[in-house]
Amino acid sequence: MPIGDSIYSLAKELYPICRSISGNGVRDTLSILQREVPQLTLHEVPSGTQCFDWVIPPEWEIREAFIVGPDGNKVIDFKNHNLHVLGYSTPIDRTLSLDELQQHLYSEPSQPEVIPYVTSYYSERWGFCLSHRQRESLVPGDYRVYIDSRLNPSGSLTYGEVLLPGDSNEEIFISTYVCHPSMGNNELSGPTVATYIAKWLTSLERRRYTYRIVFIPETIGSICYLSRNLYHLKKTVVAGYNLTCIGDDRCYSYVASRQEDSMSDLVAQHVLRHIAPDNIRYDFLERGSDERQYNSPGIDLPIVTLMRSKFWTFPEYHTSADDMNLISPSGLQGGYELVRLCLLTLERNTVLRTTTLCEPNLGKRGLYPTLSRKGHYDSLRDMMNLLAYCDGTKSLLQIATKLQRPMWELLPTVEKLRNAGLLTESADKASP
Amino acid sequence: MPIGDSIYSLAKELYPICRSISGNGVRDTLSILQREVPQLTLHEVPSGTQCFDWVIPPEWEIREAFIVGPDGNKVIDFKNHNLHVLGYSTPIDRTLSLDELQQHLYSEPSQPEVIPYVTSYYSERWGFCLSHRQRESLVPGDYRVYIDSRLNPSGSLTYGEVLLPGDSNEEIFISTYVCHPSMGNNELSGPTVATYIAKWLTSLERRRYTYRIVFIPETIGSICYLSRNLYHLKKTVVAGYNLTCIGDDRCYSYVASRQEDSMSDLVAQHVLRHIAPDNIRYDFLERGSDERQYNSPGIDLPIVTLMRSKFWTFPEYHTSADDMNLISPSGLQGGYELVRLCLLTLERNTVLRTTTLCEPNLGKRGLYPTLSRKGHYDSLRDMMNLLAYCDGTKSLLQIATKLQRPMWELLPTVEKLRNAGLLTESADKASP
Amino acid sequence: MPIGDSIYSLAKELYPICRSISGNGVRDTLSILQREVPQLTLHEVPSGTQCFDWVIPPEWEIREAFIVGPDGNKVIDFKNHNLHVLGYSTPIDRTLSLDELQQHLYSEPSQPEVIPYVTSYYSERWGFCLSHRQRESLVPGDYRVYIDSRLNPSGSLTYGEVLLPGDSNEEIFISTYVCHPSMGNNELSGPTVATYIAKWLTSLERRRYTYRIVFIPETIGSICYLSRNLYHLKKTVVAGYNLTCIGDDRCYSYVASRQEDSMSDLVAQHVLRHIAPDNIRYDFLERGSDERQYNSPGIDLPIVTLMRSKFWTFPEYHTSADDMNLISPSGLQGGYELVRLCLLTLERNTVLRTTTLCEPNLGKRGLYPTLSRKGHYDSLRDMMNLLAYCDGTKSLLQIATKLQRPMWELLPTVEKLRNAGLLTESADKASP
């Protein structure tokens, strides 16, 4: 089965769960991911904990919610769609006139068919979200609103973490979020692709880097995680990616890090240039996901966000139209490949140098024709270029960029030349 | 009254005075400017004083000059236009044939209606300037030429200087020239705009920088000024502008400094990009005003010339057509605003850093909506971007440039964030 | 006689000689060049000598070679064209069927009229090269093949070297090759132009730099030369050029050095920009001549290849069509001028500074008009710009580049200003 189908199946399984920035929806989601990646550990941070400028909010518990119309029929039912309830709604059980009810309804007039995704994490409200078409069909009369929810001050915020040790203590950091209810691209694509990336990493014979993959609620989750791990991360993280909106088929894109030319940026640019020459580069000015926190002043982690269609840019964004039809097996597989090639490039990037002065005699090693005639030189370009540019100062990534070749396509030739004793790890880098 | 009208009135008052690189025309001009800016002081440098490779020439005194034609009528009279006499003409009182006279006449065949502006400061000559049309109408016969002038070896060169102290001893240097007789853009625009800039600076509650504004004759004046003040200027000047041809309505332009990327250049570029996106950048190769001396090797002051239509580029340049109709209240006001915004940008540019790690919780401070829904993020972009980029290493000017926003439009948001305790002066810069 | 004609005559004289990477053809060629440049010395390196990863091959001796067809007539005769014999053919004297013979024939089906240039230096073979048209006309039957050649293990590889001392021990290195038989652009143009460059250098009154010009067989020759002189070259070479394919009239081009911005590159770019604005820059990725060895990792000499039409790019390349009609007196003269101007630019490039502060008073020295009127400033631009930019930090080449002027056209003005005492060698550079 193509890996895209497996990722899609996982997303489908997770789709019905009502996630938020805290609560059992997150726990249920993480325990399904744990089934796929047993190395995943769960962490609970109590409500009320101070995290830099923020405080972990009460845990949200939601069981049931509906509106009964003047005719006694349920107009809206949380059972039908998670998005129907304003995220972090306080409980309510009252009967209201339509006019009073309108103050608590959220719809999107410019997209009359969809239910918008609205939340109020840090200010107590209750509310319902519905399509604008449905809202306009509501007739005057008495409406019973009922939300069986609770903001539990003794609760906690939950996140998941996978740590995969490598030869080096230097870390590659991957982040994605698990707080979005019942939406596809934003955001079941991120955690499901991240899960399969974790599976791929565990399958590798050896890893040069240590990998840390976090499944967190957006904003408060990354701020909370950073407040508990900043010292360690600043010492060890050499590159990293935030994964979001990475499952549709429309395009490839990324948000640059604040420093713009970090190793994470260079690798993402290199991979995207070769797998999707028409990819879109978004400046850090157009940030909007957890790269905001990772790159903020004083945190300064070089995290790039990898995406297919960027949040904000597609019409289904933050509505019920961002469903399982918006993402696809091929879209998810493309996103997975993008991430995998970035990590592969990081893993295999190194500094090599030639072992001879001048070009070596390749003919006597059977690596080059002994008959010199017009035109055959081109076919061995990669080999000749590696020998010309591996001078102990340039990384393989820099050389591949110079050659306008995907770094991963040079690896077999690199191996051939290492096996022939013509290339070697540069002394500076060979020492652990 | 719009400030452009005030500047224009001042220019009109100064227009009839016959200025040159020395003499009472300069003194009369400076004493009118002194009425506007009492801080203006006059300096006299005796003729014969050595200034680097130059010597202050004798002071030129001119009282009367005319040519009487064969029919006994005055063909040319200095009373009618200052430009009729060659600048620094020696005295003469003779009768000549038309052929002999022609050797001492200056006209511009390609612009037959205008009187050209011609001088001979360092080689003794006498001469008259007239329109080519008039020259061609002269009939053979005897002409009486009369110039009542004197080159006084005991005279002096006069310049004016305004010094406005600020919190810091670091200086912003502004230069303009007062040697051009009866011309508008080149050059009553420079000294009149500079005068109103001085008035604006004196009106400020506090000044971060000390300001030095000099009103000098071109070339010999800046060389003389530099020869007397070089040590002080090299220690204190952090940026500066030369003002010339800054009163017409056709365009905005500047001449880059020799070093091309000085603070003076960066600020001028920033202001011009926002107030006049179609401004013209002239390389230092196209210099021609006193920026030549300020930027010369060994002097090395980073002085940029600010202009509307650059000298040499407009047809009226150095002719009687550069009159009070070429400049206008709106043209002068635009030039004034350009200079004012450059100085404001220099004054307010600083290095800030955020006081929290990660993004602060703006909602709890009433700076951000507590309801999270599609699309509202954009309206608070300036605030979020300042918090993302103020990392204690980038200046506000660099950040504004990154954001493609005029720095001065960010200042209210900066104040709001400073008042909320979220931004603070970077430690390095906060110390005096 | 224009110098191009002299160079062409020399090429014509050398054309019939059968050169290879060793043997008497090389010696005969070098002894003719020695007649032109008596400073040329010959060096012999014994077969079997180890040179880095390579071994000097046996010396090739070739006396006679032909094929007699079924009808008893000579089908191919080495006497008619040197290219008819595969370079480094082993001896043979046998009678074969046409089918057997075909295994040893080389032709170029896409260019049926020409004899291709084919060699096998490091693997023993025998063979004949012929036009594809002729090959297709061969009829079945018995063919006698006869090659009277020898691979002499007691022979040697021969190269020539010209050393022209200058004021400084710093060296300019020039390389070209003498191993190609009977071809014009590639490669009689290189050694003949190099010879006339050597003659020009010997004619100079004084040389600032020491010049080293080598006439070597390609690849094995440069590797051999480097293996014997590397330490000296790395200490002394400041710039250098490899000359090849430099005698046709079609275009001007160069191959950049591996470091891309060496002095050799900057000078070549400067000269080419002015003498041939439509010149072609080939990246080091498109290398293919001895610049491969000089720029290889660990060797790291900044050698740029100067060309008219680059090897590989013209259809006659490595065939009998690259003959004396492909090159021309004007093509060779253009190549010569390119090299000469590069060397002149290197020789005369220096760092100057002005001797006055501010602009000097040029009028009193008779260098500038004393009458100031509209428009005359432009005609003295070079002088004013040299005075504005010679600040003791920028080289004349950098200033010429800034001014968009050929450096050599500024030299008379530089002399005028030095003679007037207004420019002087910068202290740092004036000391030996």
Side-chain angles (χ1 to χ4, degrees):
Chain A
M1 182 162 72
I3 205 156
D5 292 291
S6 306
I7 304 172
Y8 188 83
S9 295
L10 179 59
K12 211 163 170 179
E13 181 179 1
L14 298 168
Y15 188 75
I17 300 172
C18 179
R19 280 166 293 276
S20 183
I21 56 170
S22 67
N24 282 326
V26 178
R27 290 186 195 97
D28 294 347
T29 298
L30 290 173
S31 90
I32 290 173
L33 300 185
Q34 216 166 19
R35 183 194 68 205
E36 300 291 327
V37 182
Q39 293 89 337
L40 180 75
T41 57
L42 266 63
H43 301 258
E44 301 283 347
V45 184
S47 299
T49 304
Q50 184 83 28
C51 303
F52 299 140
D53 193 46
W54 301 69
V55 173
I56 302 293
E59 180 174 331
W60 189 45
E61 299 166 5
I62 171 86
R63 275 166 298 272
E64 203 180 352
F66 55 78
I67 302 175
V68 177
D71 62 359
N73 289 326
K74 279 192 180 164
V75 179
I76 283 177
D77 194 339
F78 174 60
K79 284 199 185 76
N80 295 333
H81 207 299
N82 287 324
L83 294 182
H84 272 318
V85 176
L86 173 77
Y88 261 64
S89 264
T90 49
I92 190 80
D93 184 1
R94 268 169 62 192
T95 299
L96 304 169
S97 71
L98 177 57
D99 280 357
E100 289 170 309
L101 176 63
Q102 289 286 11
Q103 311 307 314
H104 296 271
L105 297 184
Y106 301 94
S107 65
E108 188 61 44
S110 67
Q111 293 177 279
E113 303 299 324
V114 304
I115 311 167
Y117 170 48
V118 186
T119 64
S120 180
Y121 301 136
Y122 301 100
S123 183
E124 297 198 2
R125 284 186 179 85
W126 66 265
F128 287 87
C129 305
L130 71 172
S131 74
H132 199 66
R133 186 192 46 68
Q134 184 180 14
R135 185 180 189 166
E136 291 190 308
S137 72
L138 298 179
V139 296
D142 284 345
Y143 287 84
R144 183 182 168 215
V145 295
Y146 179 80
I147 301 179
D148 178 9
S149 69
R150 186 182 171 213
L151 290 174
N152 181 357
S154 307
S156 61
L157 173 148
T158 314
Y159 67 81
E161 185 178 24
V162 175
L163 187 70
L164 302 173
D167 295 345
S168 161
N169 291 327
E170 290 184 322
E171 292 190 5
I172 309 293
F173 183 75
I174 295 168
S175 178
T176 191
Y177 36 95
V178 287
C179 55
H180 280 50
S182 301
M183 285 178 291
N185 206 29
N186 181 214
E187 192 61 84
L188 283 167
S189 65
T192 54
V193 164
T195 298
Y196 274 81
I197 286 295
K199 289 162 82 89
W200 171 70
L201 286 167
T202 60
S203 78
L204 295 180
E205 208 168 299
R206 61 184 282 189
R207 289 178 293 270
R208 175 171 161 194
Y209 290 111
T210 293
Y211 288 83
R212 185 177 297 268
I213 309 177
V214 298
F215 299 82
I216 54 179
E218 198 181 1
T219 305
I220 186 66
S222 51
I223 292 170
C224 170
Y225 188 84
L226 286 167
S227 73
R228 294 158 64 102
N229 297 282
L230 184 59
Y231 182 69
H232 176 81
L233 295 173
K234 290 193 73 136
K235 274 193 311 176
T236 58
V237 171
V238 294
Y241 296 100
N242 177 49
L243 310 186
T244 181
C245 300
I246 194 159
D248 69 319
D249 285 276
R250 289 181 278 209
C251 67
Y252 286 88
S253 66
Y254 73 105
V255 177
S257 78
R258 185 163 64 97
Q259 76 179 77
E260 299 183 11
D261 60 352
S262 73
M263 182 54 62
S264 316
D265 292 86
L266 299 180
V267 166
Q269 286 161 14
H270 181 76
V271 172
L272 283 164
R273 185 179 310 126
H274 289 288
I275 69 167
D278 57 348
N279 73 81
I280 303 168
R281 178 198 186 271
Y282 292 102
D283 193 86
F284 188 67
L285 287 172
E286 297 168 272
R287 72 198 175 281
S289 177
D290 275 334
E291 75 285 338
R292 281 151 43 219
Q293 312 310 329
Y294 298 126
N295 287 278
S296 65
I299 304 294
D300 301 319
L301 296 175
I303 306 301
V304 161
T305 291
L306 298 177
M307 301 163 296
R308 301 289 313 244
S309 292
K310 181 176 177 279
F311 47 88
W312 305 345
T313 68
F314 53 94
E316 302 88 350
Y317 168 76
H318 271 204
T319 72
S320 57
D322 180 1
D323 61 12
M324 290 304 292
N325 292 318
L326 187 63
I327 60 175
S328 74
S330 66
L332 290 159
Q333 182 150 345
Y336 168 85
E337 271 304 305
L338 165 59
V339 182
R340 195 185 67 82
L341 286 171
C342 286
L343 302 185
L344 180 66
T345 300
L346 284 163
E347 278 281 309
R348 302 296 298 276
N349 188 25
T350 187
V351 177
L352 299 166
R353 61 174 180 79
T354 56
T355 58
T356 65
L357 288 170
C358 290
E359 291 182 337
N361 185 332
L362 294 169
K364 73 182 185 193
R365 294 177 174 83
L367 295 170
Y368 205 86
T370 56
L371 191 80
S372 171
R373 57 193 307 188
K374 219 170 154 167
H376 61 58
Y377 189 69
D378 272 7
S379 61
L380 295 159
R381 270 282 162 198
D382 277 352
M383 185 159 55
M384 300 315 291
N385 283 336
L386 283 164
L387 291 168
Y389 283 93
C390 285
D391 62 358
T393 74
K394 294 175 195 66
S395 74
L396 212 45
L397 176 61
Q398 289 173 313
I399 294 171
T401 301
K402 171 73 193 168
L403 305 190
Q404 302 187 33
R405 299 272 291 129
M407 194 192 97
W408 55 92
E409 290 188 11
L410 296 179
L411 295 174
T413 307
V414 167
E415 280 320 291
K416 192 186 289 183
L417 290 170
R418 289 176 77 142
N419 292 339
L422 293 173
L423 280 184
T424 188
E425 204 86 12
S426 187
D428 292 347
K429 299 276 167 175
S431 57
Chain B
M1 183 162 72
I3 205 157
D5 292 290
S6 305
I7 303 172
Y8 188 83
S9 295
L10 179 59
K12 210 163 169 179
E13 182 180 356
L14 297 168
Y15 188 74
I17 300 171
C18 179
R19 280 166 294 275
S20 182
I21 56 170
S22 66
N24 282 326
V26 177
R27 289 185 196 98
D28 295 347
T29 299
L30 291 173
S31 90
I32 290 173
L33 301 185
Q34 215 167 20
R35 182 193 69 206
E36 300 292 326
V37 182
Q39 293 90 338
L40 180 75
T41 56
L42 265 65
H43 301 258
E44 300 284 348
V45 184
S47 299
T49 304
Q50 184 82 28
C51 303
F52 298 140
D53 193 47
W54 301 68
V55 173
I56 302 293
E59 180 174 332
W60 189 44
E61 299 165 5
I62 171 86
R63 275 166 298 272
E64 203 181 350
F66 55 78
I67 301 176
V68 177
D71 62 359
N73 289 326
K74 279 191 181 164
V75 180
I76 284 176
D77 194 339
F78 174 59
K79 286 198 186 78
N80 294 333
H81 208 298
N82 288 323
L83 293 183
H84 272 319
V85 176
L86 172 77
Y88 261 62
S89 263
T90 48
I92 189 81
D93 183 1
R94 268 170 61 195
T95 299
L96 305 168
S97 71
L98 177 57
D99 279 358
E100 289 170 310
L101 177 62
Q102 290 286 11
Q103 310 308 313
H104 296 270
L105 297 184
Y106 300 95
S107 64
E108 188 61 44
S110 66
Q111 292 176 281
E113 302 299 324
V114 304
I115 311 167
Y117 170 47
V118 185
T119 64
S120 180
Y121 300 136
Y122 301 100
S123 183
E124 296 199 2
R125 283 187 179 87
W126 66 265
F128 287 88
C129 304
L130 70 172
S131 74
H132 200 65
R133 185 192 45 70
Q134 184 181 11
R135 186 179 189 167
E136 292 190 308
S137 71
L138 298 178
V139 296
D142 284 346
Y143 286 83
R144 181 178 171 218
V145 294
Y146 179 79
I147 301 180
D148 178 10
S149 69
R150 185 181 171 214
L151 290 175
N152 181 356
S154 306
S156 62
L157 174 149
T158 314
Y159 67 81
E161 184 177 26
V162 176
L163 187 71
L164 303 174
D167 295 346
S168 160
N169 291 326
E170 291 185 321
E171 292 190 5
I172 310 293
F173 183 75
I174 295 168
S175 179
T176 191
Y177 37 95
V178 286
C179 55
H180 280 50
S182 301
M183 284 179 291
N185 207 30
N186 181 214
E187 191 62 84
L188 283 167
S189 66
T192 55
V193 165
T195 299
Y196 273 82
I197 285 295
K199 288 161 83 91
W200 171 69
L201 286 168
T202 60
S203 78
L204 295 179
E205 208 167 298
R206 61 183 283 189
R207 290 178 292 271
R208 176 173 161 193
Y209 290 111
T210 292
Y211 288 82
R212 187 178 294 269
I213 309 178
V214 297
F215 300 82
I216 53 179
E218 198 181 1
T219 305
I220 186 66
S222 52
I223 292 170
C224 170
Y225 188 85
L226 287 167
S227 74
R228 294 156 65 100
N229 298 282
L230 184 59
Y231 182 69
H232 176 82
L233 296 173
K234 289 193 74 137
K235 273 192 314 176
T236 58
V237 171
V238 294
Y241 296 100
N242 177 49
L243 310 186
T244 181
C245 301
I246 195 160
D248 70 319
D249 285 276
R250 290 181 278 208
C251 68
Y252 286 87
S253 66
Y254 73 105
V255 177
S257 78
R258 185 162 63 97
Q259 76 180 78
E260 298 182 12
D261 61 353
S262 73
M263 182 54 61
S264 317
D265 292 85
L266 299 180
V267 166
Q269 285 161 15
H270 182 77
V271 172
L272 284 164
R273 184 179 310 125
H274 289 288
I275 68 168
D278 57 348
N279 74 80
I280 304 168
R281 178 198 186 270
Y282 292 102
D283 193 85
F284 188 66
L285 286 173
E286 298 168 272
R287 71 197 177 282
S289 177
D290 275 333
E291 76 284 339
R292 282 150 43 217
Q293 312 310 328
Y294 297 127
N295 287 277
S296 64
I299 305 294
D300 301 320
L301 296 174
I303 306 300
V304 161
T305 292
L306 298 177
M307 301 162 296
R308 302 288 313 245
S309 292
K310 181 176 177 279
F311 47 87
W312 306 344
T313 68
F314 54 94
E316 302 87 351
Y317 169 76
H318 272 204
T319 73
S320 55
D322 181 1
D323 61 13
M324 290 304 292
N325 292 317
L326 186 64
I327 60 175
S328 74
S330 65
L332 290 159
Q333 183 151 344
Y336 167 86
E337 271 303 305
L338 165 59
V339 182
R340 196 185 66 83
L341 286 171
C342 286
L343 301 186
L344 180 66
T345 300
L346 283 163
E347 278 282 309
R348 303 295 299 275
N349 188 25
T350 186
V351 177
L352 299 167
R353 63 174 179 78
T354 55
T355 58
T356 65
L357 287 169
C358 291
E359 291 182 337
N361 185 332
L362 294 169
K364 73 182 184 191
R365 294 177 174 85
L367 295 171
Y368 205 86
T370 56
L371 191 80
S372 171
R373 58 192 307 186
K374 219 170 152 165
H376 60 58
Y377 188 69
D378 272 7
S379 60
L380 295 158
R381 271 281 162 198
D382 278 353
M383 186 158 55
M384 301 315 292
N385 283 336
L386 283 165
L387 291 168
Y389 283 93
C390 286
D391 62 359
T393 74
K394 294 175 195 67
S395 74
L396 212 44
L397 176 61
Q398 288 173 313
I399 294 171
T401 301
K402 170 75 191 166
L403 305 189
Q404 301 187 32
R405 299 272 291 128
M407 194 192 99
W408 55 92
E409 290 187 11
L410 297 178
L411 295 174
T413 308
V414 167
E415 280 320 291
K416 192 186 288 185
L417 291 170
R418 289 176 78 144
N419 292 339
L422 294 173
L423 280 184
T424 188
E425 204 86 11
S426 186
D428 292 347
K429 300 276 167 174
S431 57
Chain C
M1 182 160 76
I3 204 155
D5 292 291
S6 305
I7 303 172
Y8 188 83
S9 294
L10 179 60
K12 211 163 170 180
E13 181 180 359
L14 297 169
Y15 189 74
I17 300 172
C18 179
R19 280 166 292 276
S20 182
I21 56 170
S22 67
N24 282 328
V26 177
R27 288 185 196 97
D28 294 347
T29 299
L30 291 173
S31 89
I32 288 173
L33 300 185
Q34 216 167 19
R35 182 194 69 204
E36 300 292 326
V37 182
Q39 292 90 338
L40 180 74
T41 56
L42 266 64
H43 300 258
E44 301 283 347
V45 184
S47 299
T49 304
Q50 184 83 28
C51 303
F52 298 140
D53 193 47
W54 301 68
V55 173
I56 302 292
E59 180 174 332
W60 189 44
E61 300 165 6
I62 171 87
R63 275 167 298 272
E64 202 180 351
F66 55 77
I67 302 177
V68 176
D71 61 359
N73 289 326
K74 279 191 181 164
V75 179
I76 283 178
D77 193 339
F78 174 59
K79 284 198 187 78
N80 295 332
H81 208 300
N82 288 324
L83 293 183
H84 273 318
V85 175
L86 173 78
Y88 260 63
S89 263
T90 48
I92 189 82
D93 184 0
R94 267 170 62 193
T95 299
L96 305 168
S97 72
L98 178 58
D99 279 357
E100 289 170 309
L101 176 62
Q102 290 286 11
Q103 312 307 312
H104 297 270
L105 297 184
Y106 301 94
S107 65
E108 188 60 44
S110 67
Q111 293 177 280
E113 302 299 325
V114 304
I115 311 166
Y117 170 47
V118 186
T119 64
S120 181
Y121 300 136
Y122 301 100
S123 184
E124 297 198 3
R125 283 187 179 86
W126 66 265
F128 286 87
C129 305
L130 71 172
S131 75
H132 200 66
R133 187 193 45 71
Q134 184 182 11
R135 185 179 189 166
E136 291 190 309
S137 71
L138 298 179
V139 296
D142 285 346
Y143 287 83
R144 179 174 172 223
V145 294
Y146 178 79
I147 301 180
D148 177 9
S149 69
R150 184 179 172 217
L151 289 174
N152 180 356
S154 307
S156 63
L157 173 147
T158 315
Y159 66 82
E161 184 178 26
V162 174
L163 187 70
L164 302 173
D167 295 344
S168 160
N169 290 326
E170 290 185 321
E171 292 189 7
I172 310 294
F173 183 75
I174 295 168
S175 178
T176 191
Y177 36 96
V178 287
C179 55
H180 280 49
S182 301
M183 284 178 291
N185 207 29
N186 182 213
E187 190 64 83
L188 283 167
S189 66
T192 54
V193 164
T195 298
Y196 273 82
I197 285 295
K199 288 162 83 88
W200 171 70
L201 286 167
T202 60
S203 78
L204 295 180
E205 207 168 299
R206 61 185 283 188
R207 289 179 292 270
R208 175 172 162 194
Y209 290 112
T210 293
Y211 288 82
R212 187 178 295 268
I213 310 178
V214 298
F215 299 82
I216 54 179
E218 198 181 1
T219 305
I220 187 65
S222 52
I223 292 170
C224 170
Y225 188 84
L226 286 166
S227 73
R228 294 158 65 101
N229 297 282
L230 184 58
Y231 182 69
H232 176 82
L233 295 173
K234 289 194 74 136
K235 274 192 312 175
T236 58
V237 171
V238 294
Y241 296 100
N242 177 48
L243 310 186
T244 181
C245 301
I246 195 160
D248 70 319
D249 285 276
R250 289 181 278 208
C251 68
Y252 285 87
S253 66
Y254 73 105
V255 177
S257 78
R258 184 162 64 97
Q259 75 179 77
E260 299 183 13
D261 61 352
S262 73
M263 183 55 61
S264 317
D265 291 86
L266 299 180
V267 166
Q269 285 161 14
H270 181 77
V271 172
L272 283 164
R273 185 178 311 126
H274 289 288
I275 69 167
D278 57 348
N279 74 80
I280 304 168
R281 178 198 186 271
Y282 292 102
D283 193 85
F284 188 66
L285 286 172
E286 298 168 271
R287 71 197 176 282
S289 177
D290 275 334
E291 76 283 340
R292 282 151 43 219
Q293 313 309 331
Y294 297 126
N295 288 278
S296 64
I299 304 293
D300 301 320
L301 296 175
I303 306 300
V304 162
T305 292
L306 299 177
M307 301 163 296
R308 302 288 313 243
S309 292
K310 182 177 176 280
F311 48 87
W312 306 345
T313 68
F314 54 95
E316 303 86 351
Y317 169 76
H318 271 204
T319 73
S320 55
D322 180 1
D323 60 13
M324 290 304 292
N325 292 317
L326 187 63
I327 60 175
S328 74
S330 65
L332 291 159
Q333 182 151 344
Y336 168 85
E337 272 303 305
L338 165 58
V339 182
R340 195 184 67 82
L341 287 171
C342 285
L343 302 186
L344 180 65
T345 300
L346 284 163
E347 277 282 309
R348 302 297 298 275
N349 188 26
T350 187
V351 177
L352 298 167
R353 61 174 180 79
T354 56
T355 58
T356 65
L357 287 169
C358 291
E359 291 183 336
N361 185 332
L362 294 169
K364 74 181 183 193
R365 293 176 175 84
L367 296 171
Y368 205 86
T370 56
L371 191 80
S372 170
R373 56 193 307 186
K374 220 171 153 166
H376 60 57
Y377 189 68
D378 271 8
S379 60
L380 295 158
R381 271 280 162 200
D382 277 352
M383 185 159 55
M384 301 315 291
N385 284 335
L386 283 164
L387 291 168
Y389 283 93
C390 286
D391 62 358
T393 74
K394 295 175 194 68
S395 74
L396 213 44
L397 176 61
Q398 288 174 313
I399 294 171
T401 300
K402 171 73 191 167
L403 305 189
Q404 302 187 31
R405 299 272 291 127
M407 194 192 97
W408 55 93
E409 290 188 12
L410 296 179
L411 295 175
T413 307
V414 167
E415 281 319 292
K416 192 186 288 184
L417 290 170
R418 289 176 79 143
N419 292 339
L422 294 173
L423 281 184
T424 187
E425 204 86 11
S426 187
D428 292 349
K429 299 276 167 176
S431 56

